[in-house]
Amino acid sequence: MPDPGQTRPVLNRILWPLVIVIVFADQWSKAYFVWLLGSHQHESFTAFLSEYFTLLSSENMRAVSETYGTLVSNSHAVFKPLIWVWEPWIAWNLTTNTGAAWSLFTGNSFYLSFVSLAMALLLFYVWWRRFRTHLGMTWALGAIIGGALGNFIDRFRLREVVDFIDVKIPWIGRLFPNLGDPYDFPIFNVADSCAVCGTLALALYLVLADLSSVRRRRREQAAGRVKPFQEGLGLDEAAAKRLKEMTANQPRFNGTDLTKFLNDGEEE
């Protein structure tokens, strides 16, 4: 079995670069599609970057948009038409969201930014306490943490989240007609993608761990290595007979006798 002190630095070198790469890719891609599909006067993406990353709030963005038309929904900027990647299923389609997924809690982006930050800190604590030597969980939790921090930056800095990946899903509308066919999935971004992939990986790990525990327990039962009373407080007939014999000549049966009886049973 490897020494945890030796494996821990390796996983630290995986977690933090993974989080940094996700945050960088998320922020860079958002800036690029705002430049590509937003209405502004910047011909150079490099020049646009300096303007985009100096924005600190929706109020600042409104002032800047009067000159550059940079963003966003509350600055009344006009977005360019979507660009098809794979018609009619995938397109680049710029939009913003002041709430959470599926536009829940719309208008509370600033408060939701602290939820994103708290989630990232909580997941880091869970990783550090339980999974810092586990490779698969490091990847899964790192993806979720990176996604949470990517959207935290948008919510705190811009008061809304930039989305640009528009996907339509076939066949779902046939099962749920109210959703439409094809189903127009809510527009998302890189941070959302990483968080969802990490969550699915986490769920898969938990399911596999539970199945592994069930198989191990069945093997122990088949090999006769199951500990006494592991299934609960139920006693077999031999145990019941022994208990009856012990209490036959005693007016009272106290806790000490019961403890001694259970300990004797385990030793046998």
Side-chain angles (χ1 to χ4, degrees), residues 9-203:
V10 175
L11 299 187
N12 281 332
R13 288 198 295 268
I14 291 176
L15 181 78
W16 295 118
L18 176 62
V19 171
I20 292 172
V21 167
I22 290 173
V23 172
F24 176 82
D26 175 68
Q27 291 297 303
W28 184 91
S29 62
K30 288 171 178 175
Y32 176 77
F33 283 101
V34 169
W35 172 77
L36 181 66
L37 297 175
S39 56
H40 55 83
Q41 299 176 355
H42 288 285
E43 295 183 0
S44 170
F45 176 55
T46 304
F48 176 78
L49 282 177
S50 62
E51 192 72 60
Y52 178 78
F53 284 111
T54 56
L55 302 176
L56 297 178
S57 71
S58 58
E59 294 300 324
N60 289 342
M61 294 180 70
R62 183 179 294 109
V64 173
S65 67
E66 292 177 358
T67 303
Y68 299 103
T70 314
L71 261 186
V72 285
S73 57
N74 58 10
S75 68
H76 307 290
V78 178
F79 299 150
K80 296 177 182 177
L82 57 81
I83 299 176
W84 286 108
V85 178
W86 180 19
E87 190 173 1
W89 310 114
I90 303 175
W92 306 131
N93 188 9
L94 181 63
T95 187
T96 58
N97 181 11
T98 60
W102 281 275
S103 297
L104 297 174
F105 310 110
T106 299
N108 295 283
S109 188
F110 181 71
Y111 301 104
L112 289 172
S113 67
F114 295 101
V115 175
S116 299
L117 181 60
M119 180 183 300
L121 294 175
L122 176 62
L123 291 175
F124 172 74
Y125 175 78
V126 171
W127 173 81
W128 180 257
R129 292 284 297 176
R130 299 293 303 273
F131 301 109
R132 56 185 173 182
T133 60
H134 192 288
L135 181 61
M137 289 297 290
T138 297
W139 282 97
L141 292 177
I144 302 174
I145 293 172
L149 290 178
N151 283 334
F152 160 75
I153 294 173
D154 273 24
R155 290 190 175 109
F156 185 81
R157 186 174 68 90
L158 306 177
R159 303 296 192 268
E160 55 192 344
V161 175
V162 176
D163 296 319
F164 56 88
I165 306 174
D166 193 354
V167 175
K168 292 179 173 56
I169 305 175
W171 303 308
I172 292 182
R174 300 177 184 178
L175 299 176
F176 306 97
N178 292 335
L179 296 178
D181 189 19
Y183 171 54
D184 192 0
F185 193 81
I187 302 175
F188 57 96
N189 55 46
V190 172
D192 297 331
S193 303
C194 293
V196 170
C197 290
T199 302
L200 292 176
L202 176 62

Side-chain angles (χ1 to χ4, degrees), residues 237-247 261 264-265 268:
E237 294 182 0
K241 182 178 180 182
R242 177 178 171 81
L243 179 60
K244 184 177 180 180
E245 292 174 353
M246 289 183 63
T247 57
F261 163 73
D264 292 344
E268 293 179 357

